[in-house]
Amino acid sequence: GAGVSQSPSNKVTEKGKDVELRCDPISGHTALYWYRQSLGQGLEFLIYFQGNSAPDKSGLPSDRFSAERTGGSVSTLTIQRTQQEDSAVYLCASSSVRDRGRSEQFFGPGTRLTVL
Amino acid sequence: KQEVTQIPAALSVPEGENLVLNCSFTDSAIYNLQWFRQDPGKGLTSLLLIQSSQREQTSGRLNASLDKSSGRSTLYIAASQPGDSATYLCAVKGMTGANSKLTFGKGITLSVRP
């Protein structure tokens, strides 16, 4: 079966440009997460979507970062006016949140963003 | 604030050795703990998930244990193979707050020498 997919796999951009990263969760998964993995920083939570509830944006590092989830499925993470410190691997995960104790998060392959 | 620690950051062992990877966390109010494997340049592969009510989970040569009260988990790898070389991350899902985010350790990079 299809897992979580992300596109593009690699993105190189110039400082100041906007970028959009896409995540396709596993079909039927109502919860979707974005994480960022930077060298030396480990994996950091960015944003969480659950069904039609308001997203938890508590992990977004600045107002240049935003995300949306259309139709409860595909999500787009947008970074405006990119900075070099935004360079990282952006990972998306989804889970079926029926029972919080059992819900396993499944990760996509990530998008490697390089800001020159 | 939940903090997850994995020490050491790197480990090198000869093939065939049994080994234990450690993970500790500061807040015992968790729903579950997950162990992941990450190969260079790749995403995360879930290895084992232990619910807060469980003590251990097994999958093939892997066994993960959880001692929630002391804030510790171990991942035991039996008869290690060169193909086990990767970074192993543990992550906990906390009960505090509305979301179900995972808090990750920084990982242990394992190298199994032939």
Side-chain angles (χ1 to χ4, degrees), chain B:
Chain B
K1 179 186 171 187
Q2 177 74 270
E3 292 183 2
V4 179
T5 303
Q6 294 182 257
I7 296 173
L11 187 62
S12 179
V13 300
E15 181 177 5
E17 191 163 300
N18 300 324
L19 57 102
V20 173
L21 307 182
N22 293 306
C23 171
S24 62
F25 49 96
T26 55
D27 186 348
S28 61
I30 64 170
Y31 280 110
N32 62 46
L33 182 145
Q34 237 175 306
W35 280 93
F36 294 89
R37 169 185 173 136
Q38 186 173 34
D39 292 283
K42 305 290 185 183
L44 304 180
T45 300
S46 180
L47 298 173
L48 289 163
L49 180 147
I50 311 177
Q51 299 169 44
S52 61
S53 59
Q54 296 177 323
R55 299 283 292 181
E56 65 179 304
Q57 280 287 326
T58 299
S59 175
R61 294 184 294 109
L62 305 179
N63 176 278
S65 68
L66 174 64
D67 184 342
K68 198 174 69 164
S69 60
S70 68
R72 294 180 185 175
S73 176
T74 61
L75 179 67
Y76 174 82
I77 303 176
S80 58
Q81 302 170 358
D84 295 331
S85 299
T87 296
Y88 291 82
L89 298 115
C90 73
V92 295
K93 177 181 286 189
M95 288 182 171
T96 306
N99 81 44
S100 300
K101 71 175 185 180
L102 291 173
T103 302
F104 283 84
K106 292 192 176 181
I108 298 174
T109 299
L110 173 66
S111 174
V112 180
R113 307 186 300 272

Side-chain angles (χ1 to χ4, degrees), chain A residues 47-63:
Chain A
I47 188 168
Y48 163 64
F49 295 90
Q50 169 52 37
N52 295 321
S53 303
D56 180 340
K57 307 178 183 180
S58 60
L60 295 178
S62 78
D63 58 8

